[in-house]
mmCIF file of all heavy atoms in Angstrom:
data_model
loop_
_atom_site.group_PDB
_atom_site.id
_atom_site.type_symbol
_atom_site.label_atom_id
_atom_site.label_comp_id
_atom_site.label_asym_id
_atom_site.label_seq_id
_atom_site.Cartn_x
_atom_site.Cartn_y
_atom_site.Cartn_z
ATOM 1 N N SER A 33 -36.614 0.906 -3.423
ATOM 2 C CA SER A 33 -37.732 1.477 -4.178
ATOM 3 C C SER A 33 -37.477 2.939 -4.533
ATOM 4 O O SER A 33 -37.873 3.406 -5.602
ATOM 5 C CB SER A 33 -39.024 1.374 -3.362
ATOM 6 O OG SER A 33 -38.878 2.025 -2.109
ATOM 7 N N LEU A 34 -36.794 3.656 -3.649
ATOM 8 C CA LEU A 34 -36.488 5.062 -3.923
ATOM 9 C C LEU A 34 -35.472 5.175 -5.057
ATOM 10 O O LEU A 34 -35.601 6.031 -5.939
ATOM 11 C CB LEU A 34 -35.945 5.729 -2.654
ATOM 12 C CG LEU A 34 -35.595 7.211 -2.753
ATOM 13 C CD1 LEU A 34 -36.795 8.023 -3.204
ATOM 14 C CD2 LEU A 34 -35.086 7.719 -1.412
ATOM 15 N N VAL A 35 -34.478 4.295 -5.050
ATOM 16 C CA VAL A 35 -33.481 4.287 -6.113
ATOM 17 C C VAL A 35 -34.141 3.976 -7.454
ATOM 18 O O VAL A 35 -33.863 4.611 -8.473
ATOM 19 C CB VAL A 35 -32.375 3.260 -5.811
ATOM 20 C CG1 VAL A 35 -31.374 3.196 -6.956
ATOM 21 C CG2 VAL A 35 -31.667 3.609 -4.504
ATOM 22 N N LEU A 36 -35.051 2.992 -7.451
ATOM 23 C CA LEU A 36 -35.744 2.622 -8.687
ATOM 24 C C LEU A 36 -36.605 3.771 -9.200
ATOM 25 O O LEU A 36 -36.711 3.994 -10.408
ATOM 26 C CB LEU A 36 -36.601 1.375 -8.444
ATOM 27 C CG LEU A 36 -35.826 0.084 -8.174
ATOM 28 C CD1 LEU A 36 -36.785 -1.061 -7.822
ATOM 29 C CD2 LEU A 36 -34.976 -0.297 -9.381
ATOM 30 N N LEU A 37 -37.236 4.497 -8.273
ATOM 31 C CA LEU A 37 -38.042 5.656 -8.676
ATOM 32 C C LEU A 37 -37.165 6.693 -9.367
ATOM 33 O O LEU A 37 -37.537 7.255 -10.408
ATOM 34 C CB LEU A 37 -38.721 6.280 -7.452
ATOM 35 C CG LEU A 37 -40.067 5.694 -7.027
ATOM 36 C CD1 LEU A 37 -40.542 6.382 -5.744
ATOM 37 C CD2 LEU A 37 -41.110 5.880 -8.124
ATOM 38 N N ALA A 38 -36.010 6.976 -8.774
ATOM 39 C CA ALA A 38 -35.106 7.973 -9.343
ATOM 40 C C ALA A 38 -34.605 7.542 -10.716
ATOM 41 O O ALA A 38 -34.535 8.345 -11.647
ATOM 42 C CB ALA A 38 -33.927 8.214 -8.393
ATOM 43 N N GLU A 39 -34.267 6.256 -10.850
ATOM 44 C CA GLU A 39 -33.788 5.747 -12.138
ATOM 45 C C GLU A 39 -34.876 5.800 -13.196
ATOM 46 O O GLU A 39 -34.621 6.132 -14.359
ATOM 47 C CB GLU A 39 -33.275 4.321 -11.971
ATOM 48 C CG GLU A 39 -31.988 4.235 -11.153
ATOM 49 C CD GLU A 39 -31.525 2.809 -10.953
ATOM 50 O OE1 GLU A 39 -32.329 1.887 -11.251
ATOM 51 O OE2 GLU A 39 -30.378 2.610 -10.512
ATOM 52 N N SER A 40 -36.112 5.499 -12.793
ATOM 53 C CA SER A 40 -37.236 5.565 -13.734
ATOM 54 C C SER A 40 -37.479 6.991 -14.188
ATOM 55 O O SER A 40 -37.755 7.247 -15.366
ATOM 56 C CB SER A 40 -38.500 4.994 -13.082
ATOM 57 O OG SER A 40 -38.332 3.622 -12.757
ATOM 58 N N ALA A 41 -37.387 7.936 -13.248
ATOM 59 C CA ALA A 41 -37.596 9.347 -13.588
ATOM 60 C C ALA A 41 -36.518 9.833 -14.542
ATOM 61 O O ALA A 41 -36.778 10.652 -15.434
ATOM 62 C CB ALA A 41 -37.594 10.188 -12.314
ATOM 63 N N GLU A 42 -35.301 9.312 -14.379
ATOM 64 C CA GLU A 42 -34.203 9.708 -15.261
ATOM 65 C C GLU A 42 -34.417 9.179 -16.672
ATOM 66 O O GLU A 42 -34.127 9.852 -17.660
ATOM 67 C CB GLU A 42 -32.880 9.185 -14.704
ATOM 68 C CG GLU A 42 -31.662 9.609 -15.524
ATOM 69 C CD GLU A 42 -30.362 9.135 -14.924
ATOM 70 O OE1 GLU A 42 -30.407 8.404 -13.912
ATOM 71 O OE2 GLU A 42 -29.300 9.482 -15.470
ATOM 72 N N GLU A 43 -34.948 7.961 -16.779
ATOM 73 C CA GLU A 43 -35.134 7.339 -18.082
ATOM 74 C C GLU A 43 -36.395 7.833 -18.786
ATOM 75 O O GLU A 43 -36.395 8.067 -19.993
ATOM 76 C CB GLU A 43 -35.203 5.816 -17.923
ATOM 77 C CG GLU A 43 -33.893 5.195 -17.443
ATOM 78 C CD GLU A 43 -34.026 3.710 -17.211
ATOM 79 O OE1 GLU A 43 -35.134 3.178 -17.429
ATOM 80 O OE2 GLU A 43 -33.029 3.067 -16.813
ATOM 81 N N GLU A 44 -37.481 7.993 -18.026
ATOM 82 C CA GLU A 44 -38.784 8.293 -18.634
ATOM 83 C C GLU A 44 -39.242 9.729 -18.426
ATOM 84 O O GLU A 44 -40.245 10.150 -19.009
ATOM 85 C CB GLU A 44 -39.847 7.353 -18.041
ATOM 86 C CG GLU A 44 -39.499 5.874 -18.144
ATOM 87 C CD GLU A 44 -40.482 5.017 -17.367
ATOM 88 O OE1 GLU A 44 -41.611 5.485 -17.121
ATOM 89 O OE2 GLU A 44 -40.126 3.881 -16.998
ATOM 90 N N GLY A 45 -38.507 10.474 -17.580
ATOM 91 C CA GLY A 45 -38.994 11.796 -17.206
ATOM 92 C C GLY A 45 -39.937 11.664 -16.017
ATOM 93 O O GLY A 45 -40.293 10.554 -15.605
ATOM 94 N N LEU A 46 -40.339 12.776 -15.452
ATOM 95 C CA LEU A 46 -41.208 12.749 -14.269
ATOM 96 C C LEU A 46 -42.657 12.555 -14.716
ATOM 97 O O LEU A 46 -43.431 13.504 -14.843
ATOM 98 C CB LEU A 46 -41.048 14.048 -13.476
ATOM 99 C CG LEU A 46 -41.509 13.999 -12.013
ATOM 100 C CD1 LEU A 46 -40.783 12.907 -11.259
ATOM 101 C CD2 LEU A 46 -41.276 15.340 -11.339
ATOM 102 N N THR A 47 -43.038 11.311 -14.966
ATOM 103 C CA THR A 47 -44.385 10.991 -15.432
ATOM 104 C C THR A 47 -45.374 11.091 -14.271
ATOM 105 O O THR A 47 -44.977 11.044 -13.098
ATOM 106 C CB THR A 47 -44.426 9.570 -16.008
ATOM 107 O OG1 THR A 47 -44.123 8.639 -14.949
ATOM 108 C CG2 THR A 47 -43.390 9.406 -17.117
ATOM 109 N N PRO A 48 -46.674 11.198 -14.555
ATOM 110 C CA PRO A 48 -47.682 11.227 -13.481
ATOM 111 C C PRO A 48 -47.621 9.994 -12.591
ATOM 112 O O PRO A 48 -47.827 10.096 -11.381
ATOM 113 C CB PRO A 48 -49.009 11.290 -14.252
ATOM 114 C CG PRO A 48 -48.651 11.932 -15.556
ATOM 115 C CD PRO A 48 -47.265 11.446 -15.880
ATOM 116 N N GLU A 49 -47.316 8.846 -13.174
ATOM 117 C CA GLU A 49 -47.223 7.620 -12.389
ATOM 118 C C GLU A 49 -46.068 7.691 -11.385
ATOM 119 O O GLU A 49 -46.217 7.298 -10.219
ATOM 120 C CB GLU A 49 -47.013 6.412 -13.314
ATOM 121 C CG GLU A 49 -48.206 6.070 -14.212
ATOM 122 C CD GLU A 49 -48.328 7.007 -15.397
ATOM 123 O OE1 GLU A 49 -47.351 7.726 -15.688
ATOM 124 O OE2 GLU A 49 -49.415 7.039 -16.001
ATOM 125 N N ILE A 50 -44.945 8.212 -11.824
ATOM 126 C CA ILE A 50 -43.795 8.340 -10.933
ATOM 127 C C ILE A 50 -44.077 9.374 -9.849
ATOM 128 O O ILE A 50 -43.707 9.193 -8.679
ATOM 129 C CB ILE A 50 -42.529 8.708 -11.739
ATOM 130 C CG1 ILE A 50 -42.142 7.550 -12.669
ATOM 131 C CG2 ILE A 50 -41.360 9.044 -10.807
ATOM 132 C CD1 ILE A 50 -40.964 7.842 -13.576
ATOM 133 N N GLU A 51 -44.733 10.462 -10.210
ATOM 134 C CA GLU A 51 -45.091 11.484 -9.235
ATOM 135 C C GLU A 51 -46.009 10.907 -8.160
ATOM 136 O O GLU A 51 -45.838 11.179 -6.963
ATOM 137 C CB GLU A 51 -45.765 12.673 -9.925
ATOM 138 C CG GLU A 51 -44.798 13.583 -10.662
ATOM 139 C CD GLU A 51 -45.488 14.847 -11.144
ATOM 140 O OE1 GLU A 51 -46.731 14.922 -11.047
ATOM 141 O OE2 GLU A 51 -44.781 15.756 -11.610
ATOM 142 N N ARG A 52 -46.987 10.104 -8.593
ATOM 143 C CA ARG A 52 -47.901 9.500 -7.632
ATOM 144 C C ARG A 52 -47.169 8.530 -6.715
ATOM 145 O O ARG A 52 -47.414 8.495 -5.503
ATOM 146 C CB ARG A 52 -49.049 8.780 -8.367
ATOM 147 C CG ARG A 52 -50.116 9.710 -8.923
ATOM 148 C CD ARG A 52 -51.367 8.951 -9.315
ATOM 149 N NE ARG A 52 -51.119 8.059 -10.442
ATOM 150 C CZ ARG A 52 -51.265 8.423 -11.720
ATOM 151 N NH1 ARG A 52 -51.635 9.648 -12.024
ATOM 152 N NH2 ARG A 52 -51.029 7.543 -12.694
ATOM 153 N N ALA A 53 -46.255 7.751 -7.282
ATOM 154 C CA ALA A 53 -45.493 6.801 -6.482
ATOM 155 C C ALA A 53 -44.638 7.528 -5.443
ATOM 156 O O ALA A 53 -44.549 7.111 -4.276
ATOM 157 C CB ALA A 53 -44.610 5.939 -7.378
ATOM 158 N N LEU A 54 -44.049 8.643 -5.840
ATOM 159 C CA LEU A 54 -43.236 9.415 -4.905
ATOM 160 C C LEU A 54 -44.113 10.065 -3.836
ATOM 161 O O LEU A 54 -43.717 10.149 -2.665
ATOM 162 C CB LEU A 54 -42.439 10.485 -5.658
ATOM 163 C CG LEU A 54 -41.483 11.339 -4.812
ATOM 164 C CD1 LEU A 54 -40.467 10.453 -4.108
ATOM 165 C CD2 LEU A 54 -40.768 12.368 -5.679
ATOM 166 N N THR A 55 -45.314 10.496 -4.238
ATOM 167 C CA THR A 55 -46.244 11.075 -3.269
ATOM 168 C C THR A 55 -46.616 10.061 -2.201
ATOM 169 O O THR A 55 -46.630 10.359 -1.000
ATOM 170 C CB THR A 55 -47.519 11.580 -3.981
ATOM 171 O OG1 THR A 55 -47.162 12.583 -4.941
ATOM 172 C CG2 THR A 55 -48.498 12.165 -2.984
ATOM 173 N N VAL A 56 -46.927 8.832 -2.643
ATOM 174 C CA VAL A 56 -47.255 7.758 -1.699
ATOM 175 C C VAL A 56 -46.076 7.500 -0.772
ATOM 176 O O VAL A 56 -46.238 7.301 0.441
ATOM 177 C CB VAL A 56 -47.646 6.476 -2.465
ATOM 178 C CG1 VAL A 56 -47.776 5.305 -1.507
ATOM 179 C CG2 VAL A 56 -48.946 6.689 -3.234
ATOM 180 N N TYR A 57 -44.895 7.507 -1.327
ATOM 181 C CA TYR A 57 -43.691 7.263 -0.529
ATOM 182 C C TYR A 57 -43.531 8.341 0.545
ATOM 183 O O TYR A 57 -43.258 8.044 1.715
ATOM 184 C CB TYR A 57 -42.466 7.240 -1.441
ATOM 185 C CG TYR A 57 -41.195 6.768 -0.771
ATOM 186 C CD1 TYR A 57 -40.807 5.438 -0.823
ATOM 187 C CD2 TYR A 57 -40.381 7.662 -0.085
ATOM 188 C CE1 TYR A 57 -39.650 4.994 -0.209
ATOM 189 C CE2 TYR A 57 -39.226 7.230 0.529
ATOM 190 C CZ TYR A 57 -38.859 5.905 0.466
ATOM 191 O OH TYR A 57 -37.707 5.474 1.087
ATOM 192 N N LEU A 58 -43.726 9.610 0.156
ATOM 193 C CA LEU A 58 -43.547 10.714 1.094
ATOM 194 C C LEU A 58 -44.663 10.782 2.124
ATOM 195 O O LEU A 58 -44.496 11.374 3.198
ATOM 196 C CB LEU A 58 -43.466 12.049 0.329
ATOM 197 C CG LEU A 58 -42.183 12.275 -0.473
ATOM 198 C CD1 LEU A 58 -42.299 13.522 -1.318
ATOM 199 C CD2 LEU A 58 -40.991 12.381 0.471
ATOM 200 N N GLU A 59 -45.825 10.198 1.795
ATOM 201 C CA GLU A 59 -46.937 10.189 2.754
ATOM 202 C C GLU A 59 -46.767 9.101 3.809
ATOM 203 O O GLU A 59 -47.563 9.013 4.740
ATOM 204 C CB GLU A 59 -48.262 9.987 2.009
ATOM 205 C CG GLU A 59 -48.713 11.222 1.231
ATOM 206 C CD GLU A 59 -49.981 10.970 0.446
ATOM 207 O OE1 GLU A 59 -50.335 9.784 0.251
ATOM 208 O OE2 GLU A 59 -50.619 11.954 0.004
ATOM 209 N N GLY A 60 -45.724 8.286 3.667
ATOM 210 C CA GLY A 60 -45.470 7.213 4.626
ATOM 211 C C GLY A 60 -44.824 7.743 5.892
ATOM 212 O O GLY A 60 -45.001 8.911 6.274
#
Side-chain angles (χ1 to χ4, degrees):
S33 57
L34 181 57
V35 177
L36 292 175
L37 274 176
E39 291 178 348
S40 297
E42 183 177 4
E43 294 176 0
E44 306 172 22
L46 199 57
T47 64
E49 292 77 15
I50 294 176
E51 284 189 351
R52 283 194 294 270
L54 183 58
T55 300
V56 171
Y57 190 93
L58 289 172
E59 287 177 344

